[in-house]
Amino acid sequence: MSNAEASSGITVTGIDDRYGALCQGFNQRWTSHPDYIKVVRSTSEVVGALNEALNSGRTRVTVRSGGHCYENFVANPGVQVIIDMGQMDRVHHDPAMGAYCVEAGSTNWHNYTRLYRESGRTLPAGSCYSIGAGGHICGGGYGLLSRRHGLTVDYLYAVEVVVVRREPRGDYQAEAVIARRDDDGDLRDLWWAHTGGGGGNFGVVTRYWFKDLPRPPMNVWLSAIAWPWEDMTYDRFARLTGNFARFCAENSHPGSEYAGLFSLLKLTHRAAGKIGLITQIDATNPAAGRDRLDAFLAQVEDGVGLPRTTLDVRMGEHPQMGEMHAEPRLVPWIQATQTLNGSGANQRGKYKSAYMRKPFPDDQIKAIWNFLSGTRDGTDVPGNDYDNTEYANPEALIQVDTYGCRINAVGAHETAVAQRDSIMKLQYQTYWTDPAEDDVHERWIRELYRRVYHASGGVPVPAATDGAVDPDAVTDGCYINYPDRDLGSDEWNTSKVPWYRLYYGDNYERLLKAKRTWDPHNIFQHDQSIR
């Protein structure tokens, strides 16, 4: 290895066997052909890699930690250099900082096992095992412990970011900066920008530090049930989704006795054969946890009139879940986390999201039913000739997550995550493998989304305008970690609300201020980066 390579990481070019794999992320829709990929192992190598790229005229540099970006923000035809953070995966206690340090390339499962075994603590982060900390955390980060303990960024104490300056003679100069929660001025803004401002905006995140991390429950009850599509009617579907939403509305305030419960309702396409429900609940007190789980399931199933069956088909990122429809399993938390730590197959995918502040209005339930059941009943958008009955994909679904509780105990401006009073979070998903079918699957999910939010211009508009929150608002924008380029399209977003308001609400101006300070030359950019 040359001295230059030693100071800037490992260089992978087109003649290397690794090149093709490292040009692509999890979503197979996106690939790139950069001049080279840099595999870095330290902050100093990130600094060297940026200086080498920028001062050789390669100004389109993107960064990958786990590779789970849903859009083409990392892998796209214009990128010249990809910095791969995967080898920076250390997780440890930093006595000098008095905090737990997580490097950007570490994945969720690695974080969980290292923190738990070393300290009995954890991050309230996502259930997908292979997502990298670099992007997941700075987008907010949430998972099955978030109703009890809040978002991942609620524990962020400090972040190390490699930013880029430009010298008077024109050369670029990268440098590592550590921004802490208790800093003032521009450093405080840089820390705050990484509490939900999204990745690829300000610099290369190399390390995070967390204080006062929570302890997970010793044991949890884990439940996985399903209901057959063949006997599902509209009335049953509306009852099921309405029951779930009403539970969330009644039990998502801070301090709720159900804060230890997190559930994922898998509203699949009829072609999947079943609709599923996966639930985890704190069983520190096993009897009380079981009683709450039974009460929750009874409320969701009330009046639906369908038998529970085994969740024996893959639903999104979650695999088959075994025989838990008759009896839930009492397991240690770390084992439950391993059971739920799916990523799904590496396929082509398209995603959308929505925060919900209220239960589903009738028109939304009707639209969801029409697209998932493959029926039409005259309630289509006027002038829209799209025929949803021709689509039949068992890997298309809307995942509805319980939300709120401890998440909603934090103010909308304390972190960059503006959505702090929601009761549910939705992720629209569809997966396929054949590139020739891209238009078919993308069109279906776009039309579904537009139809569900037809009353608000095709998107789930935010609740706040100029700082004033509409108490009757049903939706509250979108999640930056489920990016969707359609939000910036005049065809698919007719709400007059720009994409950055859907993600960031009234927090956008402060993010823009941080961008102007820390990346004034717009080195770190993509289709939906802070401008």
Side-chain angles (χ1 to χ4, degrees), residues 266-317:
K266 303 278 193 170
L267 299 177
T268 60
H269 191 278
R270 180 186 291 274
K274 295 182 177 182
I275 288 173
L277 182 72
I278 300 171
T279 308
Q280 174 182 293
I281 189 166
D282 187 332
T284 301
N285 181 329
R290 178 61 188 271
D291 287 346
R292 291 190 181 106
L293 174 60
D294 290 344
F296 165 71
L297 295 177
Q299 181 170 341
V300 171
E301 293 186 295
D302 180 46
V304 176
L306 287 176
R308 296 181 190 176
T309 64
T310 308
L311 202 160
D312 55 3
V313 295
R314 173 174 287 280
M315 296 184 178
E317 68 183 37

Side-chain angles (χ1 to χ4, degrees), residues 149-480:
H149 297 297
L151 300 180
T152 311
V153 292
D154 295 342
Y155 298 87
L156 183 65
Y157 173 69
V159 59
E160 180 179 72
V161 190
V162 178
V163 297
V164 174
R165 309 292 189 186
R166 198 164 190 181
E167 298 177 348
R169 63 183 183 182
D171 290 346
Y172 293 98
Q173 183 60 54
E175 62 176 328
V177 175
I178 295 177
R180 296 171 175 82
R181 183 170 57 205
D182 47 17
D183 282 327
D184 296 317
D186 292 339
L187 282 172
R188 168 77 179 191
D189 285 343
L190 184 63
W191 168 84
W192 181 88
H194 287 84
T195 65
N201 282 313
F202 310 99
V204 181
V205 176
T206 51
R207 293 184 289 178
Y208 297 101
W209 288 268
F210 299 91
K211 286 190 175 184
D212 303 316
L213 285 177
R215 294 185 181 275
M218 181 173 64
N219 295 309
V220 298
W221 287 106
L222 191 59
S223 166
I225 64 177
W227 303 276
W229 253 112
E230 62 181 352
D231 297 321
M232 188 68 69
T233 63
Y234 171 72
D235 288 343
R236 285 170 167 166
F237 183 85
R239 183 79 179 195
L240 177 67
T241 53
N243 287 348
F244 184 88
R246 281 188 290 276
F247 171 86
C248 293
E250 295 165 0
N251 298 283
S252 295
H253 56 279
S256 167
E257 65 175 327
Y258 285 93
L261 179 147
F262 194 97
S263 191
L264 307 94
L265 177 61
K266 303 278 193 170
L267 299 177
T268 60
H269 191 278
R270 180 186 291 274
K274 295 182 177 182
I275 288 173
L277 182 72
I278 300 171
T279 308
Q280 174 182 293
I281 189 166
D282 187 332
T284 301
N285 181 329
R290 178 61 188 271
D291 287 346
R292 291 190 181 106
L293 174 60
D294 290 344
F296 165 71
L297 295 177
Q299 181 170 341
V300 171
E301 293 186 295
D302 180 46
V304 176
L306 287 176
R308 296 181 190 176
T309 64
T310 308
L311 202 160
D312 55 3
V313 295
R314 173 174 287 280
M315 296 184 178
E317 68 183 37
H318 291 100
Q320 301 174 10
M321 297 290 289
E323 297 288 337
M324 283 188 275
H325 65 291
E327 188 70 20
R329 290 174 56 195
L330 180 65
V331 293
W333 168 81
I334 194 68
Q335 293 183 16
T337 301
Q338 186 175 32
T339 300
L340 296 175
N341 253 317
S343 275
N346 287 57
Q347 302 180 84
R348 307 173 81 79
K350 176 64 180 173
Y351 311 80
K352 293 176 178 290
S353 67
Y355 287 93
M356 298 290 293
R357 301 176 69 250
K358 308 280 185 181
F360 299 105
D362 290 343
D363 65 320
Q364 291 189 9
I365 294 177
K366 192 67 172 180
I368 292 170
W369 163 260
N370 283 346
F371 274 74
L372 295 182
S373 66
T375 59
R376 302 185 77 172
D377 60 2
T379 62
D380 302 291
V381 177
N384 184 358
D385 61 356
Y386 177 73
D387 185 0
N388 61 278
T389 65
E390 297 180 353
Y391 188 81
N393 180 7
E395 296 189 80
L397 70 153
I398 303 173
Q399 179 177 298
V400 187
D401 295 350
T402 51
Y403 208 66
C405 293
R406 182 63 188 172
I407 300 169
N408 293 351
V410 176
H413 304 299
E414 292 182 48
T415 66
V417 179
Q419 297 87 359
R420 290 290 188 165
D421 66 352
S422 295
I423 62 171
M424 296 181 291
K425 197 175 204 175
L426 276 59
Q427 184 180 16
Y428 294 73
Q429 310 168 45
T430 187
Y431 302 93
W432 67 100
T433 57
D434 187 350
E437 297 178 358
D438 284 0
D439 290 344
V440 172
H441 298 284
E442 291 174 20
R443 177 72 185 276
W444 178 84
I445 197 170
R446 286 167 172 161
E447 294 289 358
L448 162 62
Y449 197 72
R450 172 157 66 181
R451 182 64 189 91
V452 172
Y453 305 109
H454 172 62
S456 55
V459 296
V461 295
T465 303
D466 297 328
V469 177
D470 177 2
D472 297 322
V474 173
T475 59
D476 199 14
C478 307
Y479 182 38
I480 186 58

Side-chain angles (χ1 to χ4, degrees), residues 19-42:
Y19 180 82
L22 297 181
C23 285
Q24 233 177 14
F26 177 79
N27 190 344
Q28 299 293 290
R29 286 173 69 204
W30 311 120
T31 191
S32 59
H33 302 283
D35 295 345
Y36 58 84
I37 299 117
K38 280 288 185 179
V39 178
V40 295
R41 297 155 296 189
S42 65

